Amino acid sequence: MGSIRIEGLSRKFKNVTAVDDISMDIRDGDFLVLLGPSGCGKTTLLRMIAGLLEPTGGRILLDGNDITSTPAKRRDVAMVFQNYALYPHLSVGKNLAFPLRIRKVAKDETARRVDEVAQQLDISHLLDRKPKELSGGQRQRVAVGRAIVRSPKAFLMDEPLSNLDAKLRTATRRELTDLHRRLGATFVYVTHDQVEAMTMATRIALLNGGRVEQIGTPEQVYDTPASVFVAGFLGSPPMNLLPATVGTRGRTVVASGDGVEAELWPGQSPQRAVTLGVRPEHLQVAGIVTGTGLRMTARVESIENLGSEQIAYCRVGDAAVCVRAPRPIALLAGQDVTLTAPVERVHLFDGDTGRRLEWLDVPEMTEFDAQLLSR
Ligand code: ADP
Ligand code: MG
């Protein structure tokens, strides 16, 4: 078992609050990815879970036991560092054996575990080498091996792939996912790379300024971002975000802005400022469309050819809007186009708080009951 509960955890450094009152439940067997821009507090949070840094407030529980003031070496968690932190003067075999040696595990048991782990990670042929005789990818495996050799309750990893080249990173991503499945253990994994988060996580916690913006499966955070920040962080290019006003026209809730018109759903809404979001892959280059849905009048500024598809960088009013379009569609810089999206692809965020707005229970609602609810 390896469930981790974080309760109101904070860490201040003089005048910087690196982690600001974070609470979350990491379930046994989760591959939880702490994702966010540089400086948002990922490493600080991970180091507190590892016991390498003391919180200035809050509690950490491992399988229900308060470990907030338990020293690192007595916590049943193992950390894999970004720079691998291997002992340069020790062979790979001795590096792997080290965590067991300091815990005074018997020699034959240690040898058995080292062999097992080396086989699991396909590094048996490297046991006699020193770290400097290894490639980056091999060092990374040894670092992982050193963490799994004593079967801890949870593995903590801080950007373990960031020193690998792109191709090796892709391969190692899949190896780590596979390892997680085989070990069935809890992983807490720090990265600023959204692709790593989307591909490896069972759940993503997106951090911003020391706080949690959203926790959910990769699909949840991508498909229903809880805030403008989440919407603008995920996706490549990320979600298009435009200022708009929501109101009522006839019996329909509509949104409009500079170059933007959306007929949303039956009902009524008081006038309010919103941020309207739509993903580049959900925009279609089309002619005149009537009825519900989003329409934008756009000028194409430039085109990027990605081989399989193209990205058109457009301008709608004062806003920059990206469109991912299949290759055969001929788009030209300077062209004026109408971009459309179906209503279910339109996201609305509160104009002041940036939090997601949900339209509650649309089909059953009478038009006068209709309200935009903020959550
Ligand atoms: P991340 O890993 O997400 O890039 P960190 O957790 O390393 O972010 O840092 C979060 C914030 O805390 C940053 O503003 C950073 O400058 C600050 N910080 C981290 N460690 C220290 C420290 N030892 N002393 C002072 N400030 C720190
Ligand atoms: Mg960091």
Side-chain angles (χ1 to χ4, degrees):
M1 291 292 282
S3 69
I4 300 168
R5 165 165 286 185
I6 291 164
E7 286 181 0
L9 205 65
S10 293
R11 172 70 207 207
K12 294 193 177 74
F13 296 105
K14 291 198 185 99
N15 47 4
V16 180
T17 305
V19 168
D20 188 4
D21 192 17
I22 285 184
S23 297
M24 65 173 80
D25 266 322
I26 305 170
R27 295 186 285 245
D28 182 45
D30 255 353
F31 194 129
L32 181 95
V33 172
L34 300 174
L35 176 67
S38 177
C40 71
K42 307 179 295 292
T43 294
T44 303
L45 178 55
L46 196 74
R47 289 174 64 85
M48 289 194 284
I49 299 172
L52 301 171
L53 191 67
E54 230 180 285
T56 46
R59 301 202 304 161
I60 305 168
L61 289 86
L62 180 61
D63 286 337
N65 301 312
D66 190 334
I67 56 161
T68 317
S69 30
T70 307
K73 60 175 188 292
R74 288 206 284 114
R75 292 185 189 196
D76 204 359
V77 298
M79 181 103 165
V80 180
F81 295 92
Q82 184 174 4
N83 57 7
Y84 315 137
L86 300 175
Y87 300 108
H89 57 288
L90 296 182
S91 68
V92 167
K94 292 210 163 107
N95 264 285
L96 291 177
F98 191 83
L100 301 177
R101 239 186 63 202
I102 58 169
R103 283 173 182 78
K104 308 212 182 334
V105 175
K107 270 219 169 84
D108 48 348
E109 170 66 8
T110 299
R112 193 187 62 75
R113 281 294 294 156
V114 167
D115 277 348
E116 190 178 288
V117 166
Q119 266 181 31
Q120 255 179 345
L121 294 170
D122 203 16
I123 49 175
S124 302
H125 57 298
L126 305 175
L127 288 176
D128 294 327
R129 292 204 202 163
K130 294 277 170 63
K132 67 170 189 295
E133 299 164 314
L134 303 178
S135 70
Q138 291 169 332
R139 276 180 219 171
Q140 202 271 344
R141 277 166 196 242
V142 177
V144 169
R146 203 176 49 178
I148 66 179
V149 74
R150 63 185 176 85
S151 313
K153 286 184 170 168
F155 296 93
L156 312 177
M157 306 193 184
D158 193 352
E159 314 236 7
L161 307 188
S162 59
N163 290 335
L164 306 181
D165 65 51
K167 198 168 164 194
L168 195 53
R169 215 159 42 221
T170 309
T172 313
R173 230 162 51 202
R174 294 185 32 203
E175 282 175 15
L176 280 179
T177 312
D178 201 49
L179 185 70
H180 171 253
R181 204 170 17 236
R182 274 186 287 140
L183 296 174
T186 308
F187 281 39
V188 185
Y189 185 102
V190 163
T191 184
H192 64 273
D193 181 326
Q194 55 164 313
V195 177
E196 283 180 26
M198 288 299 293
T199 53
M200 301 203 295
T202 56
R203 292 198 307 150
I204 295 174
L206 188 52
L207 268 52
N208 178 25
R211 314 197 113 229
V212 176
E213 285 277 333
Q214 186 172 8
I215 300 187
T217 64
E219 292 73 24
Q220 283 166 343
V221 290
Y222 191 84
D223 295 340
T224 51
S227 65
V228 164
F229 178 85
V230 179
F233 191 85
L234 293 175
S236 171
M239 188 180 284
N240 297 302
L241 297 164
L242 303 104
T245 306
V246 161
T248 308
R249 191 192 301 135
R251 301 179 163 206
T252 308
V253 176
V254 294
S256 57
D258 195 4
V260 184
E261 271 297 316
E263 197 172 316
L264 296 173
W265 29 69
Q268 299 207 320
S269 166
Q271 290 257 328
R272 66 183 294 175
V274 295
T275 299
L276 186 148
V278 60
R279 291 211 176 271
E281 64 268 34
H282 295 148
L283 283 170
Q284 286 136 27
V285 181
I288 311 296
V289 185
T290 54
T292 60
L294 171 72
R295 273 169 294 283
M296 300 199 272
T297 323
R299 157 127 339 157
V300 180
E301 293 196 318
S302 62
I303 309 277
E304 210 171 72
N305 182 353
L306 300 182
S308 60
E309 53 188 352
Q310 56 191 338
I311 295 183
Y313 295 90
C314 306
R315 194 141 290 276
V316 174
D318 283 336
V321 167
C322 290
V323 186
R324 270 190 115 96
R327 272 287 294 295
I329 296 176
L331 285 170
L332 296 171
Q335 202 178 3
D336 289 318
V337 292
T338 301
L339 304 174
T340 62
V343 64
E344 62 274 16
R345 298 303 196 181
V346 176
H347 305 254
L348 296 181
F349 304 94
D350 185 282
D352 294 325
T353 64
R355 302 304 293 178
R356 183 183 190 82
L357 298 169
E358 287 294 353
W359 189 252
L360 197 71
D361 214 6
V362 176
E364 274 76 39
M365 222 168 12
T366 73
E367 62 206 52
F368 297 107
D369 290 338
Q371 282 177 36
L372 274 176
L373 291 184
S374 169
R375 57 160 205 200

